[in-house]
Amino acid sequence: MVTGIADVVAITAYAQFWFPGLSQWIVSLLCVLVLLTLNLATVKMFGEMEFWFAMIKIVAIIGLIVTGVVMIATHFQSPNGSVASLSHLWNDGGMFPKGISGFFAGFQIAVFAFVGIELVGTTAAETKDPEKVLPRAINSIPLRIIMFYVFSLIVIMSVTPWNSVVADKSPFVELFMLVGLPAAASVINFVVLTSAASSANSGVFSTSRMLYGLAQQGDAPKSFANLSKRAVPANGLTFSCICLLGGVVLIYLIPNVVTVFTLVTTVSAILFMFVWTIILCSYLVYRKRRPQLHQKSVYKMPAGKLMCWVCMAFFAFVLVLLTLQDDTRQALMVTPLWFMVLAIATWWRAIKKRPDANGEAAPPRFLH
């Protein structure tokens, strides 16, 4: 849901392109209400939306890369006098104009960009032929990163020098504005908005289903296990969208989209590094307790044990980097509150599940 809040903040920023005079917190509130309404409809609606959101996004990024390549090849000159050229990548201070600290400062948003990559593994149970499909999907991830992230960044920075990029505007939209195609810029703005909406929509969908599963196991309030007439976990959806209202509150209290987005994405990155660490630790325990199953695996992680420790060391390194910038340091100081809540909840649940006088575990308090 923290990631969903970041998406709501991003949607608010994109909406300012069309409605600069509209209050930001009103835009974010409308966004949450739309997400709730669409998800309460049917599960089929969610699948249809995600398919078209993904299709629009992929086509738009490919279009941006092609347009950028043409601008570079023709040495397009922008209104500010800048000529599109690959030399922008190393001119104006070189690859690291802000020094190595500027490079490290980008790690925070880079980690956030990888949020959700672990979901590839959770599809194993529902995949028809996981031994063939999952390796193919995992191996394609680096290629997709190169195409959709690296190529698009190279194109954007070649057309617009780094010192001309406006922090609170989408570089994708600004590229088409430079070409003199405001209509195309509006289309791209719609694309990046739907991309953020897709991510928020996925967060609401998955969180509501997690609550439903936890409630069925007795690990969450029983009301979350109830389904509506349309067979959707309405209570979980409503609760998830109430959590998203945190974005509305932040936008209202801090009317600066970039500040709020940096704060929320940093919190999300920290929490997901914790999740990824748990996954790595689980893998190490799995190798120790089930060596025979690991030996049978046809798709092992190269240097499995070593890479687990390398990854966790990298996460620790990123946490240290977050202390170097004022905006990320604030988020780092707030994050322990979540772990305190988590510890209290775990302790409370453990007490409620202590064996009673008959030697049976007492049911959780919310089931009484």
Side-chain angles (χ1 to χ4, degrees), residues 289-353:
R289 294 185 179 178
R290 306 287 179 87
Q292 66 283 0
L293 289 179
H294 181 265
Q295 190 64 33
K296 291 180 181 179
S297 176
V298 296
Y299 188 66
K300 299 182 180 69
M301 184 166 79
K305 289 183 178 180
L306 173 63
M307 292 310 301
C308 282
W309 292 108
V310 169
C311 288
M312 287 189 277
F314 174 73
F315 295 155
F317 174 64
V318 173
L319 288 177
V320 173
L321 293 179
L322 296 180
T323 65
L324 304 180
Q325 304 290 329
D326 291 337
D327 48 5
T328 56
R329 191 187 306 116
Q330 292 173 0
L332 189 62
M333 292 170 64
V334 170
T335 308
L337 292 175
W338 162 247
F339 292 102
M340 290 173 61
V341 173
L342 189 64
I344 293 171
T346 305
W347 170 77
W348 183 261
R349 182 173 177 272
I351 288 179
K352 292 303 173 183
K353 285 209 168 187

Side-chain angles (χ1 to χ4, degrees), residues 14 65 67 144 189 225 249 260 267 332 339 352:
Y14 298 142
I65 293 172
T67 302
R144 295 182 187 190
N189 193 68
V249 174
V260 175
V267 172
L332 189 62
F339 292 102
K352 292 303 173 183

Side-chain angles (χ1 to χ4, degrees), residues 78-97:
S78 63
N80 62 8
S82 174
V83 178
S85 171
L86 288 174
S87 62
H88 290 315
L89 296 175
W90 53 83
N91 285 343
D92 303 312
M95 293 292 288
F96 305 106

Side-chain angles (χ1 to χ4, degrees), residues 138-159:
I138 293 169
N139 289 337
S140 69
I141 289 175
L143 297 177
R144 295 182 187 190
I145 291 171
I146 291 172
M147 181 173 181
F148 295 120
Y149 282 90
V150 179
F151 279 1
S152 59
L153 285 173
I154 288 174
V155 165
I156 289 170
M157 290 186 291
S158 297
V159 174

